[in-house]
Amino acid sequence: MLTIFNKRAIVRLVFCAGTGSRFGSTYKRNHNYDYDLIVIGGGSGGLACAKEAIQHGAKVACLDYVTPTPLGTKWGIGGTCVNVGCIPKKLMHQAALLGEGLHEATAYGWDIPNKEQIKPDWNKLVESVQNHIKSVNWVTRVDLRDKHVEYVNGLGSFKDAHTVVATLKNKSEKILTADKIVIAVGGRPNYPDIPGAIEHGITSDDIFSLDRAPGKTLVVGAGYIGLECAGFLKGLGYDATVMVRSIVLRGFDQQMATIVSDAMVERGINFLHKCIPKSVEKQADGKLLVKWLNTEANTEHSDVYDTVLWAIGRKGLVEDLKLENAGVVFKGTKIEVSEAEGTNVSNIFAVGDVIYGKPELTPVAIHAGRLLARRLFGGSTQTMDYVDVATTVFSPLEYACVGLSEEDAIKKMGGEENIEVYHGFYKPTEFFIPQKSVRYCYLKAVAERSGDQKVLGLHYVGPVAGEVIQGFAVALKAGLTIKTLFNTVGIHPTTAEEFTRLNITKRSGLDPTPASCCS
Ligand code: FAD
Ligand code: NAP
C-alpha cells in the first residue's frame, strides 16, 4: 500500500515538478516533498485552503477522517458545518419555522382542515436532511477530484514537521510528505464528567440523524447550540428545557441575550437557571432520570427525559495529531497562531475552530483558509481580519449582531458617558394578521457619542436576522456612522429599515415602543 502510494506520488511529482503551472499560476516549487501542501481536515477551513492552493498551482493532499460519536454516529467529508452543524441546524430551524407558518396561514385565509392534527414526522425530516447532506458530501468529493486535490480518507498525525501519517479505515497507513502543512481539524462537542453522560447523553453530532423522535429533551448549555437546538425541538412540538449554568449567551450583549431567552420562554421553552447536571441514569422504561444541582439555592432536583443533549462547548481536535512529533505547541485543546496563522513551527499553519481565541464560525474558517493559501502560494500578503465578524443565533426569534456589545463598547470607550445607544421595539408588518407576539422584536445601534457617531455595534432580534445584519456588517466594516445610517432611506415595509428609523436614545429615557407599524 505504502509503496504503491509513494510511486504514484513520484509520478505526480515528476508531472508537477518545477513551476506550479495549473491555472497559469506563478508558484515556484523548490523542494522534493510529495506535496506542496497537506491539509489535515476536510471541513470548512481545510477545503477552502486546499482548493485555493490548487488554484495557485500547488500540489495538494487533503486528509479527512471522522471518529464516530459514542452513539456510533459518523458522516462524510465536509466537516462540522455541512454534516452536523450549520446546514442540518438551519434545515431543522426552517422545519420549525414552517410549522409556525402553517398555523399562521389560516389567519391569512388558507383553509387548512384539521389544523390541530398537523404534526411533524421526525424520521421523514431526518431522512430529508440526511439526503441533502449526502448530496453535498458527493458534490464535495467530485469537486476535489475535478480540482485534482488528492483526498485521503484517513486520520492524520505528524511523524515529523514535514511528514504526515494517514491511518485509513482498515488500519493501514499512508505516509505523505509536504513542504507546508495546514492543520484544520476543527472541534467536537464536550461531554460533562458526570455519571451517565457519555452512555445516555447525545450531542449536536447525533441529533440531526437521530433514528427516533427526541421527545421530551433536556438541553444542557445556553450557548448558540443549546438555544438553537432547544428552539427547533420546541418548534417541532417536543418539550424542551435549557439548563443554564451561569448566563445565557456568554460573550454576547446581555440585554439582547435576555430578550432572546425571554422570547423562547414565551414560546413555551423551559429554562433552569443556575443549574448544573449531576448524573443521568437510564430507568427500566428506557427514560432518562437526570439529577441536577441549583447552585444558587444549593438544592438538588431531578426530572425524567427522553433525550439529554449536551451543548456545553467544544474542544479542538488536537489529541490525535501527535503534535509533539512536529514540535507544534498547543494550548489546552487549541493551537495558538500568529497573525498569519503560523504555529511555532515555520512550515505548519492552522485555521478554523482549532485555533485559539477566534470566532468558531464557518465563514471565518473559510476566509482564513483561503487567505492563507493565497499567502502561501499566490504571493499575497493579506491577513485575516477577525474583528467585527457578524453572526446569528438561529433561535426561534433570531438574533444577529455585528461589532461590539453594549458592555464592550462601554469598556472600550471608557464609560457609558462616551457612547450613545439608539434603540427601539418594532412591529413586523407580517406579524399583525396572525397576531404574533411583537414583544421581543427589538434592535439597537451602539455608537460613539461624539462627532458623526461611529457605529460600534448593531444588534437585532427578529425575523431573518442574519439576512438583515449581513449588509449592515459591510457598512460597519466600512466605517458606518449614525449620521450615514440616519441619512439612509429605508426599504418599506421591511424589518431591516428599522435601523434607519431609530431615533430614541437610551439616555433620553423615552419609551422605545412604536405606536403603529408606519409611524
Ligand atoms: P470542521 O468543519 O469541523 O472540519 C474539520 C474536519 O477535520 C472534520 O471533518 C474532522 O472530522 C476532520 N478531522 C479532525 N481531526 C482529523 C485528523 N486528525 N485527520 C483527518 N481529519 C481530521 N457556524 C456558522 O458560521 N454558522 C452556523 O449557523 C453554525 N452552526 C453550527 C451549529 C452546530 C450544531 C455546530 C456544532 C457548529 C456550528 N457552526 C456554525 C460552527 C461551524 O460548524 C464551525 O465553525 C466550522 O465547521 C469550523 O470549520 P473547521 O474547518 O475549522 O472544522
Ligand atoms: P458555547 O457557546 O461555548 O456555550 C457553551 C454553554 O455550555 C455555555 O452556556 C456554558 O456555560 C455551558 N457549559 C459549559 N460547560 C458546562 C458544564 N460542565 N455544565 C453545564 N454547562 C456548561 O458552546 P456551544 O453552544 O457548544 O457552541 C460552540 C461554538 O460553535 C460557538 O462558539 C459558535 O461559535 C459555534 N456555533 C455557531 C453557531 C452559529 O453561528 N449560529 C451555532 C452553533 C455553534 P457558561 O456560560 O457558564 O460557561
Side-chain angles (χ1 to χ4, degrees), residues 80 84-86 89 188-194 204 220-229 242-252 275-277 310-315 334 353 358-363 390-395 399:
T80 302
V84 288
C86 337
K89 179 277 304 292
R188 291 290 284 269
N190 289 328
Y191 286 77
D193 187 14
I194 59 168
S204 53
V220 181
Y224 280 90
I225 297 178
L227 298 194
E228 292 180 342
C229 289
V242 179
M243 186 178 284
V244 188
R245 178 169 71 173
S246 57
I247 55 170
V248 171
L249 289 177
R250 173 181 301 284
F252 284 88
C275 291
I276 50 168
W310 308 117
I312 60 167
R314 295 169 61 81
K315 59 175 183 190
K334 301 263 181 157
D353 282 8
K358 297 288 190 277
E360 293 175 18
L361 296 169
T362 281
T391 187
T392 298
V393 182
F394 293 91
S395 38
Y399 165 42

Side-chain angles (χ1 to χ4, degrees), residues 306-339:
D306 297 302
T307 301
V308 175
L309 190 149
W310 308 117
I312 60 167
R314 295 169 61 81
K315 59 175 183 190
L317 271 187
V318 291
E319 63 196 26
D320 295 320
L321 288 173
K322 299 190 182 152
L323 289 172
E324 59 286 359
N325 291 346
V328 175
V329 170
F330 54 103
K331 191 168 178 173
T333 67
K334 301 263 181 157
I335 300 170
E336 210 162 9
V337 292
S338 68
E339 204 192 327

Side-chain angles (χ1 to χ4, degrees), residues 29-43:
R29 187 162 298 116
N30 58 0
H31 62 81
N32 288 316
Y33 298 109
D34 299 341
Y35 297 93
D36 298 313
L37 172 69
I38 293 173
V39 178
I40 309 179

